Amino acid sequence: MKIDVIGDIHGCLEELHDLFYTLGYQKETNIFIHPEGRIPVFLGDITDRGPKSIEVIKLVCEMVLQRKKAKYVPGNHCNKLYRYFLGNRVQQKHGLETTVVEYKTLAQSEQEIVKQQFMRLYESAPLYLEIPEVNAIVAHAGIKESFIGRTDKKVKSFVLYGDVSGKFDEDGRPIRGDWAKYYQGARWIVYGHTPVLEPRLVKKTINIDTGCVFGKDLTAFRLPEEQIVSVPSKQPFLEEKFTHFE
Ligand SMILES: [Mn+2]
């Protein structure tokens, strides 16, 4: 099996289309198919902030659930949207508000379909994916080596929100631990969640959230080729949203 892991989309549907075409996929009855049978893996945070979250939900659901031509793991934004659809009281900020506005413009019957589809996608998704064929693990915010194989609360929080301490810097951004620096494993860990200007490669870990929704790129990581493919964003560039690692 050959895979193309796709970074945080955040409603950037046009850039996702561009990326699929750049990767050699073809559009076939609403979805994208690779002529050599490559499998796209969406690594979470498919909605919020960007212009077309609902369309991205529909495409991902069709590819993953109906046609079984792609895989998906959830991100923290997916978790929050799921809790919104459950009827939980969640704060409509940090991007969820844009998805809710889009959702509310849909006809009632259409809302019901989108909600059911997304909830099914979320409920049927693993917390993270182990893909032995390409010696890789795909987890939204990454995963510590000792967590691999576990799905308890601590691991769930780590793969969704990352290596956070609960402390914040002066700009109100969470202070994050740098788990990748300590990773010693032989398997690839492919993740996103923290926007970086260029894919960040540390040992056998790679962060491919190149901040498409903040105006940089949408990035894929191909395995087993270990190849990075990016397309430029069409969104306004917001430099302050990017994290700079040492
Ligand atoms: Mn995230």
Side-chain angles (χ1 to χ4, degrees):
M1 182 167 65
K2 294 183 177 183
I3 66 167
D4 298 316
V5 188
I6 296 172
D8 307 44
I9 302 164
H10 283 300
C12 295
L13 181 72
E14 288 182 33
E15 292 88 337
L16 178 59
H17 289 179
D18 289 349
L19 183 60
F20 273 133
Y21 288 124
T22 303
L23 292 167
Y25 286 71
Q26 293 159 358
K27 202 164 185 189
E28 276 178 34
T29 51
N30 298 326
I31 68 162
F32 289 86
I33 300 281
H34 196 277
E36 288 153 30
R38 301 186 69 95
I39 302 291
V41 181
F42 301 104
L43 63 58
D45 285 3
I46 61 175
T47 64
D48 293 4
R49 297 193 175 110
K52 290 183 176 170
S53 290
I54 299 297
E55 288 298 314
V56 173
I57 291 175
K58 287 185 186 170
L59 177 60
V60 171
C61 286
E62 175 135 22
M63 291 181 70
V64 175
L65 297 174
Q66 275 83 43
R67 313 276 286 272
K68 302 197 182 341
K69 297 288 186 196
K71 294 177 185 293
Y72 159 87
V73 295
N76 52 306
H77 286 261
C78 307
N79 171 272
K80 202 168 167 193
L81 181 60
Y82 178 73
R83 289 185 286 118
Y84 170 80
F85 283 148
L86 276 179
N88 293 6
R89 223 178 291 164
V90 292
Q91 288 192 315
Q92 287 176 34
K93 52 184 195 180
H94 305 299
L96 177 63
E97 68 281 8
T98 71
T99 304
V100 170
V101 164
E102 276 189 61
Y103 177 71
K104 289 196 167 156
T105 63
L106 302 174
Q108 197 74 44
S109 57
E110 182 79 354
Q111 283 187 10
E112 207 49 43
I113 293 167
V114 168
K115 178 171 150 180
Q116 295 304 331
Q117 290 275 297
F118 181 80
M119 290 180 79
R120 201 149 71 80
L121 177 76
Y122 186 88
E123 285 166 2
S124 59
L127 263 187
Y128 55 90
L129 269 170
E130 294 183 64
I131 311 175
E133 293 94 326
V134 290
N135 205 28
I137 288 148
V138 179
H140 177 65
I143 191 166
K144 283 185 190 180
E145 205 174 352
S146 62
F147 287 173
I148 299 169
R150 286 169 48 185
T151 55
D152 50 276
K153 233 175 138 182
K154 198 170 171 183
V155 175
K156 181 177 178 183
S157 154
F158 193 96
V159 299
L160 290 178
Y161 295 93
D163 201 351
V164 288
S165 54
K167 293 182 186 134
F168 297 85
D169 67 14
E170 63 261 30
D171 299 321
R173 285 186 292 201
I175 295 173
R176 293 188 165 105
D178 197 1
W179 63 274
K181 256 181 15 191
Y182 306 101
Y183 181 68
Q184 304 280 1
R187 286 179 282 183
W188 275 105
I189 310 283
V190 188
Y191 69 104
H193 182 60
T194 304
V196 283
L197 288 168
E198 298 292 337
R200 180 178 186 238
L201 193 60
V202 178
K203 295 176 185 162
K204 291 210 85 170
T205 76
I206 185 165
N207 175 359
I208 56 168
D209 180 9
T210 45
C212 187
V213 78
F214 299 128
K216 189 64 172 57
D217 299 316
L218 184 63
T219 296
F221 188 57
R222 318 192 90 170
L223 287 169
E225 295 86 351
E226 305 185 353
Q227 184 195 2
I228 294 165
V229 177
S230 295
V231 295
S233 169
K234 301 172 196 287
Q235 313 306 317
F237 182 59
L238 299 171
E239 214 279 328
E240 69 275 15
K241 298 294 184 183
F242 292 84
T243 296
H244 301 273
F245 289 90
E246 286 165 24

